[in-house]
Amino acid sequence: TVQAHVNQVVKGGLVASVNGLRGFIPASQMELHFVKDLSVYVGQTVEAEIIEIDVHKQRLVLSRRALLEAERAKREEEVFSTLEAGQTVRGTVKRLVDYGAFIDIGGVDGLAHISDLAWHRVKHPSDVLEVGQELDVYVKNVDAEAKRISLSVKDTMRDPWLDHAEHYNEGDIIEGKVIKLTDFGAFMEIEPGFDGLIPMGELAEKRIERADEAVHVGDIVRVKILRIDTKRKRISLSITKAKNE
């Protein structure tokens, strides 16, 4: 390992001096990722490894990337030896992509898929996260062989569905608006963002083939809460049983 003082940007990389000798750092050997503007390194002294001695051009070919890769491998070994699924750890958002967020946890990046960023539907990760943000993340899965870590942001927070459900009990009579008809029943909005299902057999006392034979979207109906399933996050409702109360 040598100390290289970066002097200038040239085609394909950087010129640096090492103890009075001329050194060259190819652009691909400066960082672990692609660097668009190499001029930010001019004037800096960086640690690098000699990967080639070019006698003909009287220069050293250097690599900073080799050192960074070695450091990353060491960090990865430390993290993967201690990290387990089910843990909650502190992380920093490093990069946002369409399908999720890469979050640094102790020098190793894990991926939080867009579906694991919040309990509500997220159109793009930038809607709920920003680069540099520190936050707690839940470790969903660790694959040491593939060097992959699956993370979740939402699993560090209580599911809002449970907060809504706490306000109701099985047997309660409530009113709400029909918001969707399906082949197996009708969905009723109990509160904004909190729905329950009225199964086909609970829509009318007589046998019906389609939900629109009993209700229509926009109807305000009176129902009885039959079941609150917190594990599956489902609420079953009944119009017919509410009529008898």
Side-chain angles (χ1 to χ4, degrees), residues 6-16 22-28 35-42 57 59-60:
V6 181
N7 299 317
Q8 64 179 18
V9 179
V10 294
K11 185 177 180 180
L14 295 160
V15 172
R22 185 169 178 267
F24 175 69
I25 308 174
S28 63
V35 179
K36 190 175 183 179
D37 183 12
L38 291 171
S39 64
V40 295
Y41 297 102
V42 175
K57 293 184 178 179
R59 72 176 185 184
L60 306 172

Side-chain angles (χ1 to χ4, degrees), residues 135-191:
L135 73 175
D136 288 333
V137 288
Y138 176 80
V139 181
K140 293 182 67 179
N141 186 53
V142 180
D143 187 337
E145 208 170 295
K147 295 288 190 288
R148 288 178 186 167
I149 302 170
S150 297
L151 304 172
S152 172
V153 176
K154 75 177 185 183
D155 285 327
T156 64
M157 302 175 279
R158 180 175 163 85
D159 186 346
W161 192 94
L162 298 175
D163 292 330
H164 287 297
E166 280 186 350
H167 298 137
Y168 301 93
N169 298 295
E170 293 177 1
D172 285 354
I173 302 296
I174 59 174
E175 283 191 352
K177 182 170 68 174
V178 176
I179 57 171
K180 184 181 179 183
L181 303 182
T182 69
D183 293 338
F184 48 86
F187 283 95
M188 186 195 90
E189 182 182 68
I190 300 171
E191 294 178 19

Side-chain angles (χ1 to χ4, degrees), residues 15 30 49 71 99 101 111 115 120 142 152 203 219 231 233 241:
V15 172
M30 195 62 196
E49 194 173 282
E71 287 174 11
Y99 52 87
L111 172 65
S115 61
H120 61 275
V142 180
S152 172
L203 285 170
D219 286 355
K231 285 187 177 180
K233 296 198 294 186
K241 290 181 175 59

Side-chain angles (χ1 to χ4, degrees), residues 84-113:
E84 294 179 355
Q87 293 179 334
T88 297
V89 295
R90 196 71 176 166
T92 304
V93 178
K94 296 298 290 291
R95 189 158 57 99
L96 301 178
V97 291
D98 290 343
Y99 52 87
F102 285 95
I103 300 172
D104 182 327
I105 49 170
V108 177
D109 287 354
L111 172 65
H113 190 267

